[in-house]
Amino acid sequence: MLDIDTSDNQFFLSSHNNHRSIPPLILCVGLALALTLTLSGCGSVESSAAAKPPAARSTALIVVPTTSANPRPALVLANAAFRESRFVAPSGNNALEHALHALQQDANSAGANEILADITPIAASTVEANIAARDFAEAERVVGLLATANPGSLIVKSLRHRLAVAVHRAAAPPVVAGLGEG
């Protein structure tokens, strides 16, 4: 049988009289990992919108009742969308918009701010892909959401500039080389 001897602030795993030292840091990390794994299964909540078939999903922003200042419903929806890789799409039912809604309810929401920090680089990559595919409307929608989350961000300024350049180039008539040579 194994037992842990904690005398003299030392941690030993003893089996009979054979002492092997377990550094306190490893013991703490192991306990923290076990606690994290145990608690990670507790927060699995599926949204009813995710259970609906695609045709039944609304493209409008999901409005969470504001009878209280509790941002938990929006955070639950944001976390569910994040786990399902719905970072910025579909419009109205994605992690970015749900996190923004949670921030509207509580500007100091650590959970919403963490989700936004995680989503920002993903959203920036999505905007770049939309610009490359000439889907300027979707790129503008996502840039607008990012600007709502962090208006002074260099990422937002850079994406707005890239989008404006791409729209300008798409609207400009093509330049034909060799005209005027004779």
Side-chain angles (χ1 to χ4, degrees), residues 11-145:
F11 295 94
F12 295 101
L13 182 65
S14 61
S15 173
H16 299 61
N17 287 332
N18 183 11
H19 291 293
R20 290 180 289 173
S21 176
I22 298 176
L25 179 61
I26 293 175
L27 185 62
C28 291
V29 169
L31 290 173
L33 180 61
L35 180 62
T36 302
L37 291 174
T38 302
L39 294 177
S40 67
C42 295
S44 179
V45 177
E46 296 299 324
S47 71
S48 61
K52 294 180 184 176
R57 291 184 188 148
S58 172
T59 57
L61 179 64
I62 296 174
V63 178
V64 178
T66 57
T67 56
S68 71
N70 184 4
R72 294 299 299 162
L75 282 178
V76 169
L77 291 172
N79 281 318
F82 193 89
R83 280 192 310 272
E84 296 168 7
S85 298
R86 290 182 287 120
F87 304 115
V88 296
S91 178
N93 189 12
N94 58 67
L96 180 57
E97 290 182 52
H98 291 307
L100 287 173
H101 187 79
L103 276 181
Q104 287 176 346
Q105 294 174 345
D106 178 12
N108 297 320
S109 172
N113 282 315
E114 184 177 336
I115 289 170
L116 290 172
D118 291 343
I119 289 176
T120 298
I122 298 167
S125 294
T126 301
V127 169
E128 294 287 350
N130 289 333
I131 291 171
R134 294 180 171 238
D135 187 356
F136 302 131
E138 179 65 6
E140 181 60 39
R141 182 186 73 82
V142 176
V143 169
L145 292 171

